[in-house]
Amino acid sequence: MRTQVGIIGAGPAGLMLSHLLHLNGISSIIIENRSRDYIEQRIRAGLIEQWAADMLTETGVGERMAREGMFHDGNYLCFNGETHHLNFRKLVGKGITIYGQQEVVKDLVERRLADGGQIIFEVDDTKVHDIATDKPFITFRHDGKEQRIDCDFIAGCDGFHGICRPSFPPDVLTFYDREYPFGWLGILSESPPPDEELIYAYHDRGFALYTMRSPTLARLYLQVEPDEDLDKWPDDRIWEELHIRLGGTRTLQEGPILQKGVTAMRSFVCEPMQTGRLFLAGDAAHIVPPTGAKGMNLALADVRMLSRALDAYYKRNNSDLLAGYSKTCLERVWKAQRFSWWMTQIFHVFPDEVPFDRRRQLAELDYIAHSVAAQTSLAEQYTGLPIA
Ligand code: FAD
Ligand code: DHB
């Protein structure tokens, strides 16, 4: 097989990249090691920044999001038994959209296939070759046969556990890493969320987040141990804890729990995000703790940049954007890292904390709740920093 851009991974990054390239007349093939069904059912992020929702709409993949997504102008901070509303629309003229990552994935897969795009699912043994030359290629196994894709460029959109980052030459990469001493237990429940907008709750017993996927489907998270054993969390215990951490500020309706899982929390950046003809995008290059809701948004931002750089290369024979890809992405990535770390450290209970830390966290939350300057800064970052 031969294509212009070989894409490894059909997550939000790989699929969106393939879609954007297609709109610019650039060919690509995506290979993915899971099945279509698996990637379309995988429940992960749910919050889309304003510019990213606009991009989905403007590039023709936002139709179902317009019908089924939930558009929010603000959210709530909850602490000391009270909630405080932040109105992003008033503060910075932007909002956020709640629409599940797997729905974005479904819409992009459908659109790529309708446009004649090629996605090869259930591949095995993916390898990249000759990335330091202008004739790189990808090999993999599919249906028991060895396959090869010759291309001009390879996009490593294969997530944190993918093979692209480890394929960089030795000593090229620097890693910046931070693990957190807690995780999130997330559930999807067939019950209405406690409010129309999201509630971020600070509590002595740990953080809780009350979000949603529809008016009848709640997505709820609790701070737990990083390696928490789900068997220790029967449904009754989950509901009890969710009630307590809401601090009496809302009534929380219970419902059948459709899905349950624990996510570890880490901050991770690898620099640079490119070597030769191999470019990393999304989780392959960086991970954020989910408190700032930035993971999927960063993946979309990277590929927007990469598609523009590839467009400049093919249309104008200009490699400047490609050469600067990593630097351009990392400037914004680090700001999102900082915001995600900041949101994480104000809302979570740390095992090694001293009483001073609780008072400091509460003072910080109180400052945000009552300062327009602080709210504006939060709103600007939460709804999405400007993108080139
Ligand atoms: P991915 O979505 O990981 O896509 C990578 C794709 O590459 C996958 O489909 C994988 O199967 C495929 N792949 C991997 N290796 C190979 C290979 N060798 N060959 C071919 N294909 C390969 N973010 C938030 O903001 N909020 C959340 O609540 C949140 N919850 C999360 C929960 C979990 C359990 C996880 C894992 C992540 C969560 N995230 C969350 C992060 C967010 O989902 C990611 O940032 C986002 O998926 C990144 O998109 P991506 O396309 O870069 O990577
Ligand atoms: C969701 C997840 C997040 O991590 C977040 O900060 C906001 C919303 C969600 O799953 O809806």
Side-chain angles (χ1 to χ4, degrees), residues 45-268:
L47 187 150
I48 305 178
E49 293 174 356
Q50 177 77 58
W51 71 270
D54 293 346
M55 177 172 75
L56 293 171
T57 305
E58 284 157 16
T59 64
V61 284
E63 202 181 292
R64 200 160 62 89
M65 178 182 73
R67 274 185 279 120
E68 297 174 18
M70 305 170 86
F71 302 91
H72 293 177
D73 285 343
N75 71 9
Y76 291 92
L77 311 181
C78 172
F79 58 97
N80 280 345
E82 283 178 10
T83 54
H84 302 265
H85 189 245
L86 306 186
N87 188 324
F88 311 139
R89 183 77 55 194
K90 272 202 195 135
L91 291 159
V92 295
K94 295 184 203 170
I96 53 110
T97 302
I98 293 292
Y99 188 61
Q101 175 170 327
Q102 77 278 16
E103 307 304 329
V104 175
V105 163
K106 272 183 216 161
D107 295 345
L108 284 167
V109 169
E110 190 186 336
R111 181 59 190 265
R112 280 313 294 126
L113 297 179
D115 285 344
Q118 200 175 348
I119 310 173
I120 307 172
F121 291 103
E122 298 183 73
V123 307
D124 228 337
D125 203 18
T126 309
K127 291 195 182 82
V128 298
H129 308 265
D130 292 358
I131 50 176
T133 75
D134 58 6
K135 292 188 177 57
F137 61 99
I138 304 169
T139 57
F140 59 96
R141 211 172 25 248
H142 184 240
D143 277 346
K145 282 191 231 107
E146 297 297 326
Q147 303 272 8
R148 167 172 170 151
I149 301 176
D150 289 287
C151 45
D152 302 332
F153 297 96
I154 298 175
C157 303
D158 52 350
F160 186 64
H161 300 288
I163 56 96
C164 289
R165 192 178 63 250
S167 303
F168 273 53
D171 306 327
V172 168
L173 290 176
T174 306
F175 302 119
Y176 300 88
D177 204 355
R178 175 176 191 141
E179 286 187 21
Y180 296 88
F182 37 76
W184 279 14
L185 191 164
I187 63 161
L188 188 69
S189 158
E190 221 173 280
S191 54
D195 195 281
E196 280 173 20
E197 293 182 329
L198 276 62
I199 303 175
Y200 285 75
Y202 173 90
H203 195 279
D204 282 352
R205 298 168 69 100
F207 173 71
L209 172 61
Y210 304 80
T211 168
M212 70 236 19
R213 287 296 175 269
S214 78
T216 55
L217 215 47
R219 178 87 172 130
L220 307 167
Y221 299 98
L222 287 170
Q223 175 185 349
V224 294
E225 296 298 315
D227 50 356
E228 189 70 65
D229 179 2
L230 268 180
D231 290 342
K232 291 197 193 138
W233 286 89
D235 294 3
D236 286 353
R237 181 174 175 207
I238 294 175
W239 286 114
E240 192 188 332
E241 202 59 33
L242 284 165
H243 286 295
I244 295 174
R245 295 191 195 179
L246 200 46
T249 59
R250 299 283 187 291
T251 42
L252 176 67
Q253 283 191 48
E254 299 182 12
I257 296 182
L258 307 176
Q259 193 257 356
K260 231 190 248 190
V262 174
T263 311
M265 311 257 290
R266 76 184 319 159
S267 302
F268 171 85

Side-chain angles (χ1 to χ4, degrees), residues 9 11-13 32-34 42 44-45 101 126 157-158 221 282-283 293 295:
E32 163 60 52
N33 60 8
R34 303 290 192 161
R42 188 166 48 188
R44 286 183 170 179
Q101 175 170 327
T126 309
C157 303
D158 52 350
Y221 299 98
D283 278 15

